[in-house]
Amino acid sequence: MYTEKVMDHFEHPRNVGEIENPSGMGTVGNPKCGDIMRIYLDIDENQVIRDVKFKTFGCGAAVATSSMATELVKGKTVQEAMAVTNKAVMEALDGLPPVKVHCSLLAEEAIHAALWDYAQKNGITIEGLEKPKDNIEEEEEEENY
Ligand code: FES
C-alpha cells in the first residue's frame, strides 16, 4: 500500500525536533482526523532556509510527508519553498494512497503557515503565499479572549 520511500521516511523521519527562536513557525491541524503538524524554519538574511524541523502528531503518512517536505525546503529560498506543494511532496515519495492525500496537504499548509509567520515578522511579501486558514496558534489565542 505504501511506497518504499514513504516507509523509509516514516521509519526514519528526517529533521524531527524543534528550533529555538525560529524565524517562522506554523502549526496546522486537520479537524477530521485530528492530526497536527508543526514546522519550524530558520531563515538567514538572504531569505534562505538554513534549517527546518518538524513535529507531527499524526498518522504515518503525515510523518512521512512532513519529513520529505522538510528535506525539500531545506537550502531553498523562501520563494523557492513555495514550489514545495503537496503534489511535489507526494511525487518525491513516489505517491500516496488516495485516502492519504489530505496528509500531504497538511505538510504544505504547515510550511505555508511557517512562511507566513516569517513574512509577517519581517514585513516581507512572498509571492503566491496566502494567509493560512487554520493556524492553530491563532485559534487558541482567540479562544483566550
Ligand atoms: Fe490525518 Fe493522515 S490521517 S494526517
Side-chain angles (χ1 to χ4, degrees):
M1 177 171 167
Y2 288 115
T3 67
E4 266 176 41
K5 280 194 189 159
V6 172
M7 289 312 294
D8 178 34
H9 277 265
F10 169 57
E11 282 168 7
H12 312 284
R14 324 316 193 243
N15 308 309
V16 176
E18 54 188 276
I19 293 174
E20 248 182 75
N21 303 318
S23 316
M25 185 183 88
T27 310
V28 295
N30 181 312
K32 285 204 185 117
C33 61
D35 291 352
I36 293 170
M37 195 181 287
R38 176 174 288 170
I39 296 262
Y40 303 84
L41 296 173
D42 176 25
I43 298 168
D44 72 12
E45 60 285 356
N46 298 315
Q47 299 189 358
V48 172
I49 299 170
R50 139 171 87 185
D51 198 12
V52 47
K53 295 269 188 251
F54 82 90
K55 273 188 185 168
T56 290
F57 184 75
C59 74
V63 172
T65 51
S66 0
S67 168
M68 181 54 93
T70 57
E71 287 284 272
L72 291 177
V73 299
K74 207 187 234 181
K76 298 229 164 83
T77 65
V78 293
Q79 195 61 60
E80 286 165 350
M82 288 299 292
V84 181
T85 58
N86 78 308
K87 213 166 150 244
V89 173
M90 278 200 297
E91 272 166 20
L93 287 168
D94 294 335
L96 278 175
V99 292
K100 290 286 170 184
V101 171
H102 77 272
C103 318
S104 64
L105 215 51
L106 212 53
E108 177 187 311
E109 286 169 2
I111 287 178
H112 285 183
L115 286 172
W116 179 266
D117 182 36
Y118 164 75
Q120 289 293 102
K121 281 182 186 155
N122 293 277
I124 62 157
T125 309
I126 300 173
E127 213 176 300
L129 181 64
E130 286 172 13
K131 187 176 188 323
K133 282 181 247 104
D134 48 358
N135 195 320
I136 286 182
E137 305 300 317
E138 284 177 16
E139 276 171 24
E140 274 173 3
E141 274 168 31
E142 277 163 22
E143 274 166 23
N144 291 338
Y145 291 117

